[in-house]
mmCIF file of all heavy atoms in Angstrom:
data_model
loop_
_atom_site.group_PDB
_atom_site.id
_atom_site.type_symbol
_atom_site.label_atom_id
_atom_site.label_comp_id
_atom_site.label_asym_id
_atom_site.label_seq_id
_atom_site.Cartn_x
_atom_site.Cartn_y
_atom_site.Cartn_z
ATOM 1 N N HIS B 261 -24.686 0.527 12.836
ATOM 2 C CA HIS B 261 -25.469 1.637 12.311
ATOM 3 C C HIS B 261 -24.713 2.278 11.135
ATOM 4 O O HIS B 261 -23.506 2.502 11.229
ATOM 5 C CB HIS B 261 -25.705 2.677 13.405
ATOM 6 C CG HIS B 261 -26.778 3.662 13.053
ATOM 7 N ND1 HIS B 261 -26.549 4.704 12.191
ATOM 8 C CD2 HIS B 261 -28.079 3.740 13.417
ATOM 9 C CE1 HIS B 261 -27.679 5.402 12.051
ATOM 10 N NE2 HIS B 261 -28.620 4.831 12.786
ATOM 11 N N PRO B 262 -25.412 2.584 10.037
ATOM 12 C CA PRO B 262 -24.724 3.165 8.883
ATOM 13 C C PRO B 262 -23.925 4.435 9.232
ATOM 14 O O PRO B 262 -22.882 4.697 8.630
ATOM 15 C CB PRO B 262 -25.864 3.492 7.911
ATOM 16 C CG PRO B 262 -26.929 2.516 8.246
ATOM 17 C CD PRO B 262 -26.829 2.293 9.736
ATOM 18 N N TYR B 263 -24.399 5.198 10.211
ATOM 19 C CA TYR B 263 -23.655 6.401 10.587
ATOM 20 C C TYR B 263 -22.321 6.035 11.238
ATOM 21 O O TYR B 263 -21.277 6.578 10.880
ATOM 22 C CB TYR B 263 -24.485 7.273 11.529
ATOM 23 C CG TYR B 263 -23.706 8.455 12.065
ATOM 24 C CD1 TYR B 263 -23.234 9.444 11.210
ATOM 25 C CD2 TYR B 263 -23.414 8.566 13.425
ATOM 26 C CE1 TYR B 263 -22.493 10.519 11.691
ATOM 27 C CE2 TYR B 263 -22.673 9.638 13.910
ATOM 28 C CZ TYR B 263 -22.226 10.604 13.039
ATOM 29 O OH TYR B 263 -21.492 11.665 13.520
ATOM 30 N N CYS B 298 -36.147 8.737 10.076
ATOM 31 C CA CYS B 298 -34.775 8.577 10.527
ATOM 32 C C CYS B 298 -33.991 9.848 10.211
ATOM 33 O O CYS B 298 -33.941 10.281 9.069
ATOM 34 C CB CYS B 298 -34.117 7.387 9.842
ATOM 35 S SG CYS B 298 -32.345 7.295 10.183
ATOM 36 N N ARG B 299 -33.393 10.443 11.232
ATOM 37 C CA ARG B 299 -32.707 11.723 11.028
ATOM 38 C C ARG B 299 -31.439 11.581 10.178
ATOM 39 O O ARG B 299 -30.915 12.549 9.674
ATOM 40 C CB ARG B 299 -32.346 12.357 12.376
ATOM 41 C CG ARG B 299 -33.577 12.890 13.086
ATOM 42 C CD ARG B 299 -33.214 13.986 14.073
ATOM 43 N NE ARG B 299 -34.430 14.597 14.603
ATOM 44 C CZ ARG B 299 -34.798 14.557 15.871
ATOM 45 N NH1 ARG B 299 -34.024 13.952 16.753
ATOM 46 N NH2 ARG B 299 -35.912 15.130 16.254
ATOM 47 N N PHE B 300 -30.956 10.375 10.025
ATOM 48 C CA PHE B 300 -29.749 10.186 9.216
ATOM 49 C C PHE B 300 -30.096 9.909 7.754
ATOM 50 O O PHE B 300 -29.219 9.868 6.892
ATOM 51 C CB PHE B 300 -28.927 9.024 9.807
ATOM 52 C CG PHE B 300 -27.576 8.854 9.167
ATOM 53 C CD1 PHE B 300 -26.684 9.918 9.088
ATOM 54 C CD2 PHE B 300 -27.193 7.632 8.628
ATOM 55 C CE1 PHE B 300 -25.445 9.760 8.494
ATOM 56 C CE2 PHE B 300 -25.950 7.474 8.026
ATOM 57 C CZ PHE B 300 -25.075 8.543 7.961
ATOM 58 N N GLU B 301 -31.398 9.785 7.484
ATOM 59 C CA GLU B 301 -31.832 9.350 6.153
ATOM 60 C C GLU B 301 -31.232 10.166 4.995
ATOM 61 O O GLU B 301 -30.741 9.591 4.020
ATOM 62 C CB GLU B 301 -33.364 9.317 6.096
ATOM 63 C CG GLU B 301 -33.967 8.716 4.837
ATOM 64 C CD GLU B 301 -34.129 9.711 3.716
ATOM 65 O OE1 GLU B 301 -34.228 10.928 3.993
ATOM 66 O OE2 GLU B 301 -34.139 9.266 2.558
ATOM 67 N N CYS B 304 -27.784 8.832 4.422
ATOM 68 C CA CYS B 304 -27.521 7.403 4.604
ATOM 69 C C CYS B 304 -27.426 6.668 3.268
ATOM 70 O O CYS B 304 -28.337 6.728 2.446
ATOM 71 C CB CYS B 304 -28.633 6.779 5.435
ATOM 72 S SG CYS B 304 -28.372 5.012 5.696
ATOM 73 N N PRO B 305 -26.318 5.968 3.041
ATOM 74 C CA PRO B 305 -26.176 5.225 1.784
ATOM 75 C C PRO B 305 -27.095 4.000 1.721
ATOM 76 O O PRO B 305 -27.296 3.448 0.643
ATOM 77 C CB PRO B 305 -24.702 4.816 1.784
ATOM 78 C CG PRO B 305 -24.268 4.852 3.204
ATOM 79 C CD PRO B 305 -25.124 5.878 3.887
ATOM 80 N N LYS B 306 -27.642 3.590 2.868
ATOM 81 C CA LYS B 306 -28.471 2.388 2.856
ATOM 82 C C LYS B 306 -29.959 2.694 2.994
ATOM 83 O O LYS B 306 -30.763 1.791 3.201
ATOM 84 C CB LYS B 306 -28.059 1.462 4.006
ATOM 85 C CG LYS B 306 -26.648 0.954 3.848
ATOM 86 C CD LYS B 306 -26.348 -0.127 4.846
ATOM 87 C CE LYS B 306 -24.919 -0.611 4.642
ATOM 88 N NZ LYS B 306 -24.397 -1.271 5.830
ATOM 89 N N ALA B 307 -30.300 3.973 2.911
ATOM 90 C CA ALA B 307 -31.686 4.364 3.170
ATOM 91 C C ALA B 307 -32.651 3.683 2.200
ATOM 92 O O ALA B 307 -32.317 3.435 1.042
ATOM 93 C CB ALA B 307 -31.819 5.878 3.035
ATOM 94 N N PHE B 308 -33.823 3.354 2.688
ATOM 95 C CA PHE B 308 -34.881 2.832 1.818
ATOM 96 C C PHE B 308 -36.169 3.569 2.152
ATOM 97 O O PHE B 308 -36.172 4.454 3.024
ATOM 98 C CB PHE B 308 -35.011 1.309 1.938
ATOM 99 C CG PHE B 308 -35.175 0.800 3.342
ATOM 100 C CD1 PHE B 308 -36.429 0.444 3.823
ATOM 101 C CD2 PHE B 308 -34.068 0.671 4.184
ATOM 102 C CE1 PHE B 308 -36.587 -0.028 5.110
ATOM 103 C CE2 PHE B 308 -34.225 0.203 5.478
ATOM 104 C CZ PHE B 308 -35.480 -0.154 5.941
ATOM 105 N N CYS B 311 -37.600 4.581 5.618
ATOM 106 C CA CYS B 311 -36.767 5.434 6.475
ATOM 107 C C CYS B 311 -37.306 6.849 6.583
ATOM 108 O O CYS B 311 -37.011 7.563 7.537
ATOM 109 C CB CYS B 311 -35.339 5.470 5.951
ATOM 110 S SG CYS B 311 -34.598 3.843 5.838
ATOM 111 N N PRO B 316 -36.817 5.099 13.648
ATOM 112 C CA PRO B 316 -36.222 3.868 14.170
ATOM 113 C C PRO B 316 -36.092 3.913 15.697
ATOM 114 O O PRO B 316 -35.628 4.907 16.246
ATOM 115 C CB PRO B 316 -34.835 3.810 13.520
ATOM 116 C CG PRO B 316 -34.659 5.050 12.745
ATOM 117 C CD PRO B 316 -35.861 5.910 12.882
ATOM 118 N N ALA B 333 -30.246 2.139 16.462
ATOM 119 C CA ALA B 333 -31.538 2.715 16.097
ATOM 120 C C ALA B 333 -31.576 2.852 14.583
ATOM 121 O O ALA B 333 -31.258 3.902 14.038
ATOM 122 C CB ALA B 333 -31.736 4.066 16.781
ATOM 123 N N CYS B 334 -31.926 1.759 13.929
ATOM 124 C CA CYS B 334 -31.930 1.737 12.472
ATOM 125 C C CYS B 334 -32.901 0.659 12.025
ATOM 126 O O CYS B 334 -32.946 -0.422 12.613
ATOM 127 C CB CYS B 334 -30.516 1.428 11.963
ATOM 128 S SG CYS B 334 -30.452 0.989 10.219
ATOM 129 N N LEU B 335 -33.663 0.968 10.981
ATOM 130 C CA LEU B 335 -34.702 0.040 10.531
ATOM 131 C C LEU B 335 -34.149 -1.262 9.947
ATOM 132 O O LEU B 335 -34.904 -2.178 9.655
ATOM 133 C CB LEU B 335 -35.606 0.723 9.491
ATOM 134 C CG LEU B 335 -36.348 1.982 9.956
ATOM 135 C CD1 LEU B 335 -37.229 2.514 8.830
ATOM 136 C CD2 LEU B 335 -37.202 1.701 11.187
ATOM 137 N N LEU B 336 -32.823 -1.310 9.736
ATOM 138 C CA LEU B 336 -32.243 -2.545 9.202
ATOM 139 C C LEU B 336 -32.179 -3.645 10.269
ATOM 140 O O LEU B 336 -31.897 -4.792 9.964
ATOM 141 C CB LEU B 336 -30.836 -2.282 8.681
ATOM 142 C CG LEU B 336 -30.698 -1.338 7.489
ATOM 143 C CD1 LEU B 336 -29.226 -1.035 7.233
ATOM 144 C CD2 LEU B 336 -31.324 -1.963 6.247
HETATM 145 S S1 SF4 C 502 -33.102 3.741 9.358
HETATM 146 FE FE1 SF4 C 502 -32.760 3.825 7.157
HETATM 147 S S2 SF4 C 502 -31.870 5.831 6.797
HETATM 148 FE FE2 SF4 C 502 -31.767 5.454 8.971
HETATM 149 S S3 SF4 C 502 -29.745 4.592 9.265
HETATM 150 FE FE3 SF4 C 502 -31.120 2.867 9.009
HETATM 151 S S4 SF4 C 502 -31.059 2.430 6.829
HETATM 152 FE FE4 SF4 C 502 -30.175 4.450 7.090
#
Side-chain angles (χ1 to χ4, degrees):
Chain B
H261 195 282
Y263 174 63
C298 171
R299 288 204 172 116
F300 188 54
E301 187 274 335
C304 180
K306 296 190 180 159
F308 53 101
C311 302
C334 166
L335 300 182
L336 295 172

